Amino acid sequence: QSALTQPASVSGSPGQSITISCSGTNSDVGAYNYVSWYQQYPGKAPKLIIYEVSNRPSGVSNRFSGSKSGNTASLTISGLQTEDEADYHCSSYTTSTTLVFGGGTKLTVL
Amino acid sequence: EVQLVESGGGSIKPGGSLRLSCTGSGVTFSDVYMSWVRQAPGRGLEWLGRIKRKTEGATTDYTAPAKGRFFVLRDESTNTGFLQMNSLKIEDTAVYYCTTGTGDGPSDSWGQGTLVTVSS
């Protein structure tokens, strides 16, 4: 099972919106609505911010939103804030009954 | 609130074995899916394997690279999860995280991670 494909880095200015893509196949992203997104600060554990493509856990800002089209999922962060600068990881359940992560995307808020 | 704490990491020589532990509060491991995820230095997350809840047979699933070398275990009497790692390789050097979730979707709780360094 190959890792999902994410851009290595994205950047944006405070107040702007950015979108991070997560490309998979019809054996993972395209097969189920079990796509999740995690935010990770340096030296810290990941934190779940989106599950089942577009759902936010309690306490997660509504500036974070998720979507999916075919084999590609996306995370959009609107109204960028300096505190959003972190690494973002996507994951998906697969037809092999395993989970797979993307390579991670470093978000820089300029 | 669920809190997970991993332990058992450290330095080990190639070919050795190590058992990581995960203790939890606010969660009964037999009622959830427990997974292990690792992160090599400067790299992304890698899912290794999981054990399902007791009512689903406590069956296990593993990613291909982990299958046959890594084993996810659980002790219900102590509410502790384990990752047994055998035949360790230098490329197994990583921070290992214990996570829990309610099904095939997300890991909604994570431990702080424990560092495993495989070096001769």
Side-chain angles (χ1 to χ4, degrees):
Chain A
Q1 185 71 47
S2 299
L4 306 176
T5 301
Q6 297 181 236
S9 63
V10 298
S11 63
S13 300
Q16 287 186 332
S17 293
I18 63 94
T19 296
I20 299 172
S21 60
C22 172
S23 296
T25 69
N26 54 16
S27 295
D28 39 62
V29 175
Y32 304 101
N33 285 326
Y34 285 131
V35 175
S36 302
W37 289 90
Y38 301 87
Q39 177 190 60
Q40 185 182 31
Y41 293 110
K44 300 296 186 181
K47 171 191 172 184
L48 178 68
I49 57 173
I50 294 288
Y51 67 97
E52 292 175 8
V53 176
S54 59
N55 295 299
R56 281 186 307 276
S58 174
V60 173
S61 171
N62 59 9
R63 297 186 299 105
F64 295 90
S65 61
S67 63
K68 189 184 86 167
S69 177
N71 296 336
T72 299
S74 299
L75 171 72
T76 297
I77 309 174
S78 59
L80 267 180
Q81 299 179 1
T82 55
E83 67 204 49
D84 298 331
E85 186 163 295
D87 293 330
Y88 292 85
H89 308 269
C90 64
S91 78
S92 175
Y93 185 61
T94 81
T95 55
S96 301
T97 68
T98 61
L99 278 87
V100 63
F101 282 95
T105 298
K106 180 177 179 59
L107 169 62
T108 300
V109 181
L110 303 169
Chain B
E1 180 189 4
V2 175
Q3 291 194 326
L4 305 174
V5 178
E6 302 93 340
S7 60
S11 295
I12 189 162
K13 292 187 181 331
S17 295
L18 203 60
R19 175 172 286 203
L20 306 182
S21 300
C22 175
T23 56
S25 60
V27 61
T28 300
F29 281 155
S30 60
D31 292 340
V32 298
Y33 284 38
M34 186 187 73
S35 296
W36 287 87
V37 176
R38 72 181 179 184
Q39 186 170 34
R43 305 292 296 274
L45 301 172
E46 180 184 15
W47 186 86
L48 297 172
R50 69 176 178 185
I51 183 167
K52 294 183 177 180
R53 60 174 61 91
K54 184 177 180 179
T55 54
E56 295 183 44
T59 55
T60 53
D61 295 294
Y62 298 96
T63 190
K67 197 174 294 185
R69 274 201 312 134
F70 292 1
F71 300 91
V72 179
L73 309 166
R74 186 170 64 207
D75 183 337
E76 293 177 16
S77 66
T78 60
N79 201 37
T80 303
F82 304 96
L83 178 66
Q84 176 68 41
M85 304 186 293
N86 300 326
S87 302
L88 283 163
K89 307 174 183 179
I90 291 175
E91 52 265 38
D92 294 321
T93 294
V95 174
Y96 286 73
Y97 295 100
C98 163
T99 81
T100 58
T102 54
D104 293 327
S107 291
D108 49 26
S109 297
W110 294 66
Q112 84 290 350
T114 186
L115 176 63
V116 173
T117 302
V118 185
S119 172
S120 54

